[in-house]
Amino acid sequence: MRGRMGIVKSFLIAFSMYSRIPTPRFQWEERDMTYTFCFFPWVGAVIGVCVYGWNCLCDRCGIGMVCRAAVDGAIPLLITGGFHVDGFMDTVDGFHSYQSRERKLEILKDSHVGAFAVIMLALYGLIYLGAISEIGDRGLLMAVCGGFFLARCLSGIGAVSFPLAKGDGMLFLFADKAHKRTVKGALYVQSALCVLGMVWVSSGRGAAVAAAAFWAFWRYYRRCRRELGGITGDTAGYFVVVCEVCLAVAGAGADVFFRQL
């Protein structure tokens, strides 16, 4: 019974930490964090279902493309509360400071918003809205929506596999308390099933979208290892944002490519 309750608590902690979805309140204990990363991707599943449902509503009601794309971009922010965007902005400020590793880590902890954070957020937002508005195939849309789940699977894998840049912070706490072998196994299985589902619903287009997620994951690891010595909670949020943009761009590009064949 205690083991089952621990899993339930890990599920609730994942949603209370990484989303604005209301969850029951309870006193956390260290052992309750053991499997939290296993359920982190399910926040992405909720986002994907909402985005797909919104687009189905748009098709039925004849809602215009500008409104459709704007709400597509707003849904992840509404569900997560902008949790990952905050990490994205801090990380971009650090990367674009071109300072030493130690100074970059200090910038990541700074609560002030720099110019590069604003510029890059606007740029990524425009790219995402432009890309998502070009995805018209229903199967491809399902694959892109599945990408919200896959992005969080990969982020969780990185959290328990990649070196950490510092020995404190929320990511360190959750990674330190995680049962790494179990979490990795669960996330690997969920990632594989998600990729298979993306390919099944949209064949070559789905494969292109999944490939973009893994490319973003590889780039994330390389850059964080080179510039920061590892990952932090902020860089984990940065990855989720960048991965979601890459998924949308890959989906739009694959749609155009396969329509020309």
Side-chain angles (χ1 to χ4, degrees):
M1 180 63 71
R2 178 176 292 180
R4 292 181 181 178
M5 285 304 299
I7 292 174
V8 171
K9 287 182 177 180
S10 291
F11 175 85
L12 295 175
I13 290 172
F15 273 78
S16 64
M17 276 296 303
Y18 300 112
S19 79
R20 298 296 298 275
I21 299 171
T23 58
R25 294 179 179 272
F26 61 92
Q27 186 66 39
W28 292 9
E29 298 180 14
E30 289 186 357
R31 64 186 179 187
D32 297 329
M33 304 177 188
T34 304
Y35 304 111
T36 298
F37 281 126
C38 296
F39 301 105
F40 174 38
W42 291 92
V43 176
V46 173
I47 295 172
V49 169
C50 290
V51 170
Y52 185 77
W54 163 248
N55 280 269
C56 289
L57 178 65
C58 289
D59 289 340
R60 175 164 294 190
C61 299
I63 296 174
M65 186 55 66
V66 174
C67 180
R68 178 193 299 234
V71 175
D72 280 338
I75 287 173
L77 295 176
L78 292 172
I79 292 177
T80 65
F83 185 84
H84 305 299
V85 174
D86 177 67
F88 170 83
M89 296 179 76
D90 288 339
T91 302
V92 167
D93 269 341
F95 283 160
H96 287 272
S97 68
Y98 303 105
Q99 301 292 319
S100 66
R101 177 178 298 179
E102 291 73 22
R103 178 56 183 153
K104 288 177 182 177
L105 290 171
E106 290 177 5
I107 292 172
L108 262 63
K109 294 172 63 177
D110 192 343
S111 60
H112 294 88
V113 177
F116 279 110
V118 177
I119 293 168
M120 294 303 293
L121 182 62
L123 177 62
Y124 272 72
L126 291 170
I127 292 172
Y128 179 80
L129 294 179
I132 203 74
S133 68
E134 291 297 314
I135 299 174
D137 180 79
R138 185 65 61 87
L140 175 58
L141 178 62
M142 291 179 67
V144 172
C145 289
F148 291 107
F149 184 91
L150 180 58
R152 285 158 178 80
C153 284
L154 296 176
S155 181
I157 290 171
V160 295
S161 302
F162 296 168
L164 302 180
K166 54 184 183 177
D168 58 7
M170 189 61 69
L171 182 71
F172 173 81
L173 176 63
F174 277 89
D176 184 58
K177 303 306 177 186
H179 190 294
K180 291 183 172 59
R181 183 174 179 180
T182 301
V183 170
K184 286 181 186 179
L187 292 174
Y188 286 147
V189 170
Q190 291 181 85
S191 298
L193 292 175
C194 183
V195 170
L196 289 174
M198 292 164 74
V199 173
W200 182 68
V201 298
S202 193
S203 188
R205 294 175 174 89
V209 173
F214 287 101
W215 177 84
F217 191 53
W218 175 75
R219 289 285 300 169
Y220 163 61
Y221 170 76
R222 288 284 301 274
R223 188 167 193 181
C224 288
R225 186 68 184 268
R226 182 179 69 250
E227 298 196 28
L228 302 175
I231 65 171
T232 69
D234 285 324
T235 66
Y238 163 86
F239 167 71
V240 170
V241 173
V242 171
C243 188
E244 289 174 353
V245 172
C246 289
L247 289 162
V249 171
D255 199 23
V256 172
F257 175 78
F258 280 98
R259 274 190 277 133
Q260 299 301 318
L261 294 179

